[in-house]
């Protein structure tokens, strides 16, 4: 018998709820507050999680690939352990609700963490809420899954992906129009800011000109 979900300790997110509609609505009402500077800030929110993973790596660091896609979407693939995904007492696969609920460490405590652009770190739910769509693909030792979100709300369940023995996380998202209007990321600017995480090697592939 798997342990009850009620017994799972909350660290970065609350396992008891998979979607917080009020939280997502609050973010969407204030794109200038939660995505200052536009899509580049959202990329930094994703990279902060990759940097966390790199810091906890037994290898002493990690790497990730950033792609600026021709369709206006952005993606970050890090080669860490994958997002925590468990099986509850009913046999259901449950992924930590990083996309649709608040980050307990940062969201209500803007003084708790700052991203390299000088603005508060808020968490991955900011990225999901301020994107027309986001696809989160997650490979762990105990399985692999993908899930699609629109404006922060999951529109699919956890869809199994054939495991291949690797572990990584891929987040691809298309910022909504209000966020895109605030600016555009550049490879040079992104690499300069990512230098604040020396434990994380960041590679940027700009495909927009194609």
């Amino acid at each position: 018998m798997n342990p009850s979900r009620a017994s799972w300790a909350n660290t970065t997110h609350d396992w008891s709820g998979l979607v917080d509609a009020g939280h997502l609505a609050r973010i969407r009402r204030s794109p200038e507050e939660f995505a200052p500077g536009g899509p580049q800030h959202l990329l930094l929110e994703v990279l902060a999680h990759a940097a966390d993973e790199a810091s906890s790596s037994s290898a002493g660091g990690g790497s990730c690939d950033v792609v600026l896609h021709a369709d206006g979407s952005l993606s970050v693939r890090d080669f860490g352990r994958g997002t925590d995904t468990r099986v509850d007492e009913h046999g259901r696969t449950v992924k930590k609700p990083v996309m649709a609920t608040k980050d307990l460490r940062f969201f209500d405590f803007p003084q708790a963490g700052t991203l390299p652009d000088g603005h508060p770190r808020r968490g991955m739910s900011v990225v999901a809420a301020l994107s027309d769509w986001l696809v989160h693909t997650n490979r762990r030792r105990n399985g692999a899954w993908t899930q699609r979100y629109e404006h922060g709300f999951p529109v699919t369940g956890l869809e199994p992906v054939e495991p291949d023995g690797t572990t990584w996380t891929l987040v691809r998202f298309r910022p909504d129009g209000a966020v895109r209007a605030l600016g555009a990321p550049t490879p040079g600017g992104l690499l300069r800011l990512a230098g604040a995480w020396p434990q994380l090697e960041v590679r940027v592939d700009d495909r927009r000109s194609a």
Side-chain angles (χ1 to χ4, degrees):
M1 174 69 73
N2 295 307
S4 165
R5 187 159 53 150
S7 70
W8 297 353
N10 295 330
T11 52
T12 65
H13 293 77
D14 187 345
W15 286 95
S16 66
L18 299 183
V19 179
D20 185 338
H23 169 69
L24 297 172
R26 177 185 172 192
I27 296 168
R28 290 191 54 76
R29 285 194 297 268
S30 302
E32 297 88 353
E33 176 184 0
F34 294 111
Q40 185 158 271
H41 182 82
L42 299 186
L43 276 172
L44 292 174
E45 288 279 12
V46 183
L47 285 172
H49 282 263
D52 289 345
E53 191 68 12
S55 293
S56 65
S57 170
S58 59
S63 65
C64 68
D65 295 325
V66 177
V67 180
L68 313 179
H69 295 274
D71 65 357
S73 66
L74 312 164
S75 64
V76 177
R77 185 196 303 262
D78 80 73
F79 299 92
R81 297 165 295 178
T83 306
D84 194 355
T85 306
R86 307 177 184 184
V87 178
D88 69 11
E89 68 272 28
H90 304 293
R92 295 175 299 206
T93 302
V94 182
K95 181 182 65 182
K96 184 186 285 189
V98 298
M99 298 296 175
T101 69
K102 70 175 62 176
D103 191 310
L104 301 174
R105 302 167 296 174
F106 301 114
F107 190 83
D108 291 326
F109 308 99
Q111 72 281 5
T114 303
L115 293 172
D117 60 2
H119 297 290
R121 180 179 178 182
R122 303 284 192 171
M124 290 291 294
S125 59
V126 168
V127 183
L130 292 177
S131 294
D132 293 329
W133 55 263
L134 180 151
V135 178
H136 182 192
T137 304
N138 178 40
R139 290 187 178 273
R140 287 177 62 82
R141 295 297 183 195
N142 61 332
W145 307 267
T146 190
Q147 187 168 28
R148 181 182 173 95
Y149 299 78
E150 294 179 2
H151 306 295
F153 290 88
V155 295
T156 70
L158 281 180
E159 298 178 345
V161 176
E162 187 67 28
D164 62 4
T166 63
T167 63
W168 46 260
T169 302
L170 173 64
V171 177
R172 182 169 178 175
F173 61 98
R174 187 174 190 271
D176 67 21
V179 174
R180 296 197 307 274
L182 297 175
T186 65
L190 188 61
L191 288 171
R192 177 178 56 81
L193 292 169
W197 295 303
Q199 76 277 23
L200 180 67
E201 177 189 0
V202 178
R203 298 174 289 264
V204 181
D205 180 4
D206 189 351
R207 301 179 184 175
R208 291 173 298 183
S209 61

